[in-house]
Amino acid sequence: MATIYQVSELAGVSLSTVSRVLNNNDYVSKKTKKKVMEAMQELGYQPSSIARSLASSRTSSVGILVSELDGPFFGQMMSAIEEQLRAAGKHVIITPGHSDESKEKSGFEFLISRNCDAIIAHVEAVSNEYLIGLSKGKTPIYLMSRYVEEIKDNCISLDNEMGGYLATKTMITKGHTNIAYIAGPQFKPDASDRFKGHKRALAEFDLTFNENLFYIGDFKETGGNDGLKHFIDNKATFTALVCANDEMASGAMKYAREHGFNLPRDLAIMGYDNVIFTNYLYPTLTTINNPVPEMGKMAANLVLKDIYKHTGITINHVFQPNLILRDSTPSIK
């Protein structure tokens, strides 16, 4: 069986040049690529992933560390990253961190031990300091949906503070002044940023933040269910409910209907993320668009540009949210 070394010798080029051809590197001239391909054909050489790895010190695999494996948010993220990398001949290794510091660190260690060429991580529990330190190691780390100033060139993030601001401002401009807010866990950067945006909108319109209209949920349907129950049990007065993600909004809508609310007449509800089911709820859910597929594709492109030296790629590091207006947020008449 022919070897990569024989291909190199017959083509009269270096091993590294053969490597670049095997890995579709744009820096190889058409003439040189033709010589290498002809040598491969003459020798009957069939490149394998192992050969590519030996030739380039690359494994053509990218690690993906996500908070969870279920749910529409992470499904869209993983699918977009995998599709973009697969189109470039790369494969992914996926592991969850479950928003737990020790599990996230274990996930990083696992992917590094598998000799991934890079890691794309959506992590929420590990500190910025840990990530900065990790980025100095041998395996390049890229962050998805998180911004860390010291490694900003390796981050693909959303302006969540602006998203939280847009959500609450929309309710205010529709005439609502008593606005309840169900936040996500505040140790998560995206949740805390959305809450900051909520408070900024209140302050801009001279509305006082009311602790009695604030509840910290879990980013799941149960958080929306329990949050709305908390407000009702405590006899809070409100006409609008802003939820920090769509799953909690759907949980709140279900609880509201089960307890006699006529939606959206009795309560305006806002979500966040614009996951696939929001347009199928009743009423259809007004939400803030979180362009997860586009961000996942961009994270993959960043790896392709930095690690695999693909050319002609433009990187957008910070995405902007936008309002998706549907039926769940009527104006007060």
Side-chain angles (χ1 to χ4, degrees):
M1 183 178 293
T3 69
I4 190 171
Y5 303 98
Q6 291 172 310
V7 173
S8 170
E9 184 177 341
L10 181 61
V13 299
S14 67
L15 192 63
S16 61
T17 298
V18 178
S19 162
R20 286 192 286 270
V21 173
L22 290 175
N23 288 283
N24 297 314
N25 191 293
D26 295 335
Y27 290 110
V28 181
S29 70
K30 291 181 179 179
K31 181 179 178 180
T32 300
K33 184 175 182 179
K34 184 173 182 291
K35 285 199 302 181
V36 172
M37 297 299 289
E38 287 174 348
M40 289 170 57
Q41 184 175 5
E42 182 177 336
L43 293 168
Y45 175 74
Q46 294 294 324
S48 65
S49 60
I50 295 174
R52 287 189 173 96
S53 176
L54 289 171
S56 65
S57 298
R58 299 286 186 201
T59 62
S60 291
S61 62
V62 176
I64 303 179
L65 175 55
V66 292
S67 296
E68 302 294 342
L69 296 177
D70 62 347
F73 180 91
F74 294 108
Q76 289 183 86
M77 178 187 299
M78 290 184 287
S79 179
I81 294 171
E82 191 277 338
E83 182 179 0
Q84 194 71 2
L85 291 173
R86 178 64 70 92
K90 314 304 175 187
H91 293 269
V92 299
I93 301 173
I94 300 172
T95 191
H98 299 296
S99 299
D100 176 88
E101 182 178 7
S102 64
K103 291 176 182 177
E104 288 180 352
K105 289 181 177 179
S106 177
F108 275 121
E109 292 167 3
F110 166 76
L111 294 173
I112 291 170
S113 74
R114 292 302 181 270
N115 295 317
C116 293
D117 296 332
I119 297 172
I120 298 172
H122 182 288
V123 288
E124 301 169 311
V126 293
S127 67
N128 286 354
E129 291 72 23
Y130 173 81
L131 292 168
I132 294 166
L134 197 64
S135 70
K136 298 175 182 177
K138 67 173 184 176
T139 305
I141 306 297
Y142 297 87
L143 300 183
M144 175 78 183
S145 294
R146 183 163 176 177
Y147 179 84
V148 178
E149 175 67 27
E150 291 82 355
I151 52 174
K152 61 183 179 181
D153 290 341
N154 286 27
C155 298
I156 302 295
S157 63
L158 179 73
D159 188 346
N160 279 296
E161 196 274 345
M162 175 57 74
Y165 168 81
L166 284 175
T168 298
K169 180 180 178 180
T170 298
M171 291 297 202
I172 297 171
T173 57
K174 287 181 171 291
H176 300 277
T177 55
N178 292 314
I179 302 170
Y181 188 83
I182 300 179
Q186 290 301 286
F187 73 89
K188 299 186 177 187
D190 53 354
S192 62
D193 285 346
R194 292 172 194 182
F195 179 43
K196 290 174 186 175
H198 167 70
K199 291 196 290 186
R200 176 160 74 92
L202 294 177
E204 182 176 301
F205 289 87
D206 296 322
L207 297 175
T208 302
F209 172 69
N210 184 350
E211 288 283 355
N212 296 325
L213 295 178
F214 176 66
Y215 182 87
I216 298 178
D218 57 5
F219 267 160
K220 299 178 182 178
E221 285 187 28
T222 50
N225 179 96
D226 296 346
L228 184 55
K229 180 179 185 300
H230 169 81
F231 295 138
I232 293 172
D233 288 349
N234 286 277
K235 304 187 186 310
T237 300
F238 56 100
T239 61
L241 174 65
V242 175
C243 297
N245 80 340
D246 293 331
E247 290 191 54
M248 293 196 298
S250 69
M253 291 173 75
K254 181 174 183 293
Y255 186 87
R257 278 194 297 271
E258 290 174 348
H259 290 78
F261 283 75
N262 184 323
L263 299 178
R265 186 189 66 191
D266 296 337
L267 181 64
I269 299 180
M270 169 79 69
Y272 196 114
D273 283 335
N274 194 32
V275 297
I276 191 169
F277 63 72
T278 53
N279 202 36
Y280 302 101
L281 294 171
Y282 182 78
T284 55
L285 182 64
T286 295
T287 187
I288 301 299
N289 186 49
N290 184 349
V292 174
E294 292 85 354
M295 291 171 65
K297 179 180 178 181
M298 191 62 66
N301 279 341
L302 183 54
V303 169
L304 292 174
K305 181 180 180 180
D306 281 2
I307 305 304
Y308 300 110
K309 306 307 178 185
H310 288 211
T311 58
I313 296 175
T314 300
I315 301 298
N316 175 23
H317 287 278
V318 181
F319 284 71
Q320 293 299 318
N322 62 284
L323 175 70
I324 305 296
L325 193 61
R326 297 195 181 103
D327 298 333
S328 67
T329 52
S331 300
I332 292 181
K333 297 180 181 180

